[in-house]
Amino acid sequence: MSVWSIDWMASASGGRLIKRPRGVSLSEPVVSGVGVDTRTIAEGEAFIALRGERFDGHGFVGEAVARGCPVVIVERESAVADLPDHVAAIRVHDTRAALTKLALAHRSLLAGTRVIAVTGSNGKTTTVRFLDAALRVAMKGSSSAKSFNNDVGVPLTILRAKPGDGFLVCEVGMNSPGEIAPLARMIEPDVAVITGVGRAHFEEFGSLGAIGREKASLLQFLRPGGVAVINASCEEHLGEAVRTVANLVRVGDAPGADLRLADIAHEDRSGQTWLRFDLHDSAGSRSLAAPTPGVHNASNAALAVAVARLLGVSDDDIARGVAAVRPPDMRMQRWRIGEVDVYNDAYNASPESTDAAIRTFCDLAKSASRRVVVFGDMLELGDHGPDAHREVADTILVAGEGTFGGPVDAVVCVGELALFTAERLLREWDESRISMFHEARPEVAVTIAKAFKPGDAVLLKGSRRMKLETIEQALRDLVDNRHTPTDRVPRQVVGGRPDPLASAG
């Protein structure tokens, strides 16, 4: 039975062939991969009809076949009643479970591939990008696309890997307790990376210790001889799991780090902001630079350096890879829109990432005529939400002191929780410096964008569901003198289907 044959697909997924294709061998490879979304699926891939609370892939089987899928995996026979003769159909009890089973079977074929798993409250996707860039200089491999880090994204990432690849990097996220272990069991990492422990999803966990223990559950599934690479500053929150790991590498600016960060700074290179930092260990020192603004990104890069060294990549190759990294969307991306500099860091927000974003923004925008922070709610913090949003106000109030750069001149608060930030600021500031909105509806986005002035620098920071990127789009439309952005607002549902790969923290 050949890998990626119809027989292999049926066996590996735990399914039964309910439609035999005419003129097609069941034992020869006919599939090039697996997809779950007909908007992105490629010709030759098998289509798995996933079901969710707000979508059902069974309604798109015909579209998948029209796009060139030779095999479909379904739960309902009625969904494949009218398929062409050359298409095979496999029935399973649960398509989501079938996707996991396929990934487990494929993982067993990756004997020569070094598999890296990355988790953490902040910086996962950026660390994955650094790792991919550093390793790709020296070997072939693949990594998580976007933020594919849940029970759909992780198996799809594994299924993209090819036997013979040198590396595979998987991002691992969570929203609730117990979610990391099944993903880690699927991945069986040779190297496990923990970028940090913060208050993302605090509502579900209640303490940093509980969040840390969930992140550390990744380490229990390391392969024999595997290595854990952690941000040294979060070690205290990781619990017993980190103390029982045989091979542990600590990275960061904390005392006792095996790979220590120092002298982190921003510098201008031909009009682009680069991050420069030094790394020190027992073998000596090395300076690196990356086109990823944000002091916090130095630790993400350092984690990637540590892993690349473990996999035998030379320091020169690592430096070339780090310098070529492409930062993920909406992670401190700077755009010049008309006469306004927009720093879009609105992919998501936690107290720790918001603090880092404000500090970075004030440093990068110190020469702006006015610095404006557009701050949206940080969600999933539970009872800690009000205090966490007051903490953001405290960070804003001290901006401009010491090495922070320029002060924050105005704040736009968006959301119910952000009102606690406004409340705290109003104790110190005149109300003319603060604006408040309940949500970033299209008409609100236009109102906010119209208030920006030439020479302003603007930071967009908030949780994903606050959709603060609509403000950037509103400004673009105003500058381009196009129609209002009402019909340009990004939607979570495209073509009637939400994205099943929505990322976790």
Side-chain angles (χ1 to χ4, degrees):
M1 186 188 302
S2 297
V3 175
W4 297 117
S5 68
I6 294 169
D7 279 343
W8 184 84
M9 294 285 293
S11 175
S13 66
R16 177 172 61 89
L17 185 65
I18 59 172
K19 181 183 177 301
R20 185 186 183 102
R22 182 178 299 176
V24 178
S25 170
L26 301 183
S27 59
E28 296 299 319
V30 296
V31 170
S32 58
V34 169
V36 299
D37 190 333
T38 55
R39 294 166 295 185
T40 57
I41 202 163
E43 183 178 359
E45 291 184 336
F47 175 67
I48 301 184
L50 297 182
R51 290 185 302 106
E53 292 181 2
R54 296 179 295 155
F55 66 92
D56 189 346
H58 290 80
F60 299 92
V61 169
E63 186 177 334
V65 171
R67 292 180 67 91
C69 296
V71 178
V72 296
I73 300 178
V74 299
E75 296 174 10
R76 300 195 305 268
E77 288 195 35
S78 59
V80 299
D82 301 317
L83 290 185
D85 290 344
H86 67 280
V87 177
I90 297 168
R91 184 182 182 185
V92 297
H93 175 68
D94 184 323
T95 49
R96 214 173 186 103
L99 178 63
T100 295
K101 291 176 182 177
L102 283 167
L104 286 166
H106 191 63
R107 174 65 180 93
S108 68
L109 305 174
L110 304 177
T113 304
R114 303 296 293 276
V115 180
I116 303 110
V118 180
T119 193
S121 297
N122 302 297
K124 295 183 296 297
T125 303
T126 303
T127 301
V128 169
R129 297 281 79 79
F130 272 119
L131 270 168
D132 185 86
L135 297 175
R136 194 171 292 277
V137 174
M139 64 188 81
K140 295 172 66 174
S142 60
S143 60
S144 298
K146 299 181 181 178
S147 296
F148 286 11
N149 62 26
N150 63 8
D151 65 336
V152 176
V154 168
L156 286 176
T157 298
I158 294 171
L159 289 164
R160 286 179 59 205
K162 295 178 174 59
D165 280 355
F167 72 91
L168 169 64
V169 186
C170 298
E171 182 176 329
V172 181
M174 68 176 194
N175 290 308
S176 304
E179 290 185 346
I180 284 184
L183 300 178
R185 185 179 293 110
M186 197 187 317
I187 297 168
E188 282 190 82
D190 298 289
V191 182
V193 180
I194 300 177
T195 65
V197 175
R199 286 168 285 178
H201 311 296
F202 199 81
E203 182 176 21
E204 290 287 334
F205 291 88
S207 70
L208 286 174
I211 293 171
R213 287 189 294 274
E214 176 69 15
K215 299 296 185 186
S217 64
L218 178 67
L219 308 182
Q220 300 171 21
F221 297 91
L222 276 167
R223 285 199 157 188
V227 183
V229 179
I230 67 168
N231 187 324
S233 64
C234 72
E235 184 173 0
E236 64 180 298
H237 301 302
L238 296 178
E240 188 62 27
V242 75
R243 289 188 284 274
T244 59
V245 174
N247 303 306
L248 180 65
V249 178
R250 301 170 178 86
V251 177
D253 57 5
D258 301 297
L259 185 61
R260 187 170 57 83
L261 268 169
D263 299 321
I264 306 168
H266 291 114
E267 59 184 34
D268 184 271
R269 296 192 178 187
S270 302
Q272 184 179 13
T273 302
W274 281 60
L275 180 69
R276 182 189 56 75
F277 55 93
D278 293 342
L279 291 173
H280 307 278
D281 63 7
S282 57
S285 300
R286 180 84 189 214
S287 292
L288 292 95
T292 51
V295 172
H296 54 287
N297 279 327
S299 63
N300 299 326
L303 290 164
V305 171
V307 174
R309 285 177 171 178
L310 288 170
L311 269 61
V313 183
S314 72
D315 278 356
D316 287 345
D317 282 346
I318 292 171
R320 281 195 292 273
V322 168
V325 73
R326 297 183 63 182
D329 290 342
M330 293 198 293
R331 273 83 160 188
M332 200 53 74
Q333 284 185 304
R334 179 183 177 182
W335 303 105
R336 182 72 174 177
I337 305 174
E339 297 180 69
V340 177
D341 280 328
V342 176
Y343 294 79
N344 187 340
D345 199 48
Y347 182 80
N348 219 332
S350 68
E352 289 77 16
S353 70
T354 300
D355 180 85
I358 293 170
R359 291 171 181 269
T360 296
F361 170 67
C362 289
D363 182 28
L364 297 179
K366 53 179 170 284
S367 61
S369 59
R370 203 172 61 132
R371 282 157 294 279
V372 181
V373 172
V374 181
F375 174 55
D377 286 354
M378 301 181 295
L379 303 175
E380 301 182 35
L381 293 174
D383 293 340
H384 185 61
D387 283 343
H389 285 76
R390 293 186 186 104
E391 285 180 27
V392 172
D394 291 336
T395 298
I396 290 170
L397 289 169
V398 299
E401 297 179 0
T403 59
F404 250 35
V408 175
D409 298 289
V411 174
V412 180
C413 294
V414 181
E416 302 293 333
L417 287 166
L419 294 178
F420 290 100
T421 305
E423 172 194 59
R424 172 73 182 91
L425 290 172
L426 285 168
R427 299 180 197 171
E428 307 290 338
W429 281 4
D430 184 85
E431 63 182 17
S432 63
R433 298 173 66 181
I434 305 167
S435 302
M436 292 172 278
F437 299 90
H438 286 293
E439 58 183 319
R441 298 189 309 274
E443 61 272 23
V444 171
V446 173
T447 298
I448 293 171
K450 284 182 175 179
F452 300 149
K453 301 175 181 179
D456 279 356
V458 176
L459 171 67
L460 304 177
K461 185 64 177 177
S463 284
R464 183 82 294 279
R465 295 205 303 270
M466 300 309 294
K467 301 180 183 178
L468 295 188
E469 70 274 13
T470 59
I471 298 166
E472 177 191 315
Q473 186 60 61
L475 180 61
R476 290 185 186 278
D477 286 326
L478 290 169
V479 168
D480 292 346
N481 198 27
R482 294 198 293 259
H483 49 74
T484 58
T486 303
D487 61 353
R488 304 253 335 217
V489 176
R491 290 171 167 78
Q492 287 183 317
V493 181
V494 180
R497 289 164 288 166
D499 187 353
L501 300 164
S503 65

